[in-house]
């Protein structure tokens, strides 16, 4: 083991829209599992609502967790300070009126030790990115149809 402090992994964010503001909580156990296994660390989790008139507002976790089906209290206090009013407004711009969204900022904890080891070995990251899932699915469909 190294005496070096843990290096943070890459930080990512997701904006997850819930059309019609219908949140079932179906993905919540999977998110909790990722945190429990140390794969990610939730830095921020906020909720945004875009009303039918186009106005955008932040929504408190307590306002979402009152139906006994969606218990978000495990993430109460998840706030690194990275998200503010500008990010709420930006997230709201991509939402359909009458919808809500979760804005999740998380650290890829699994990647921190790997990145540190590579740097110690003289490697450096020279590019990175993400392929949108829609592109992957379209590519897979095209390959299946041409087979």
């Amino acid at each position: 083991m190294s005496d070096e402090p843990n290096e943070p992994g890459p930080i990512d964010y997701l904006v997850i829209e819930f059309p019609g503001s219908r949140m079932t909580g179906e993905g919540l156990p999977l998110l909790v599992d990722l945190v429990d296994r140390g794969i990610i660390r939730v830095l921020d989790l906020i909720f945004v609502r875009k009303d039918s008139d186009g106005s955008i507002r932040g929504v408190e976790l307590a306002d979402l967790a009152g139906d006994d089906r969606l218990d978000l209290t495990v993430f109460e206090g998840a706030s690194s300070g990275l998200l503010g009013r500008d990010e709420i407004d930006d997230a709201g711009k991509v939402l359909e009126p009458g919808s809500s969204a979760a804005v999740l900022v998380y650290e890829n904890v699994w990647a921190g030790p790997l990145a540190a080891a590579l740097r110690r070995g003289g490697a450096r990251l020279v590019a990175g990115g993400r392929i949108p899932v829609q592109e992957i699915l379209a590519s897979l469909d095209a390959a299946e149809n041409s087979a």
Side-chain angles (χ1 to χ4, degrees):
M1 292 310 262
S2 170
D3 291 334
E4 295 177 35
N6 289 339
E7 292 194 34
I11 308 296
D12 287 325
Y13 75 93
L14 299 171
V15 178
I16 306 157
E17 182 178 36
F18 300 98
S21 295
R22 289 181 303 277
M23 294 181 224
T24 65
E26 188 171 338
L28 190 59
L30 297 170
L31 180 60
V32 171
D33 181 56
L34 290 171
V35 172
D36 287 347
R37 291 190 293 142
I39 295 171
I40 67 166
R41 179 169 60 110
V42 173
L43 300 176
D44 287 284
L45 178 61
I46 63 170
F47 289 86
V48 177
R49 179 168 288 144
K50 185 172 192 174
D51 292 326
S52 56
D53 67 359
S55 60
I56 300 165
R57 59 189 171 95
V59 180
E60 296 294 323
L61 285 179
D63 295 339
L64 298 170
D67 65 0
D68 293 331
R69 292 184 315 150
L70 188 60
D71 183 10
L72 298 170
T73 56
V74 67
F75 295 111
E76 229 165 8
S79 177
S80 68
L82 292 172
L83 298 177
R85 185 69 224 180
D86 288 343
E87 289 73 25
I88 289 172
D89 289 341
D90 287 346
K93 289 176 187 173
V94 299
L95 299 179
E96 292 294 322
S99 292
S100 296
V103 181
L104 174 67
V105 178
Y106 61 97
E107 174 191 356
N108 291 285
V109 176
W110 64 269
L114 173 63
L118 292 171
R119 275 193 295 280
R120 283 192 303 274
R124 63 188 184 100
L125 180 64
V126 295
R130 177 161 285 142
I131 301 170
V133 86
Q134 293 83 354
E135 288 184 26
I136 294 169
L137 294 174
S139 179
L140 292 172
D141 285 345
E144 186 177 294
N145 290 335
S146 68

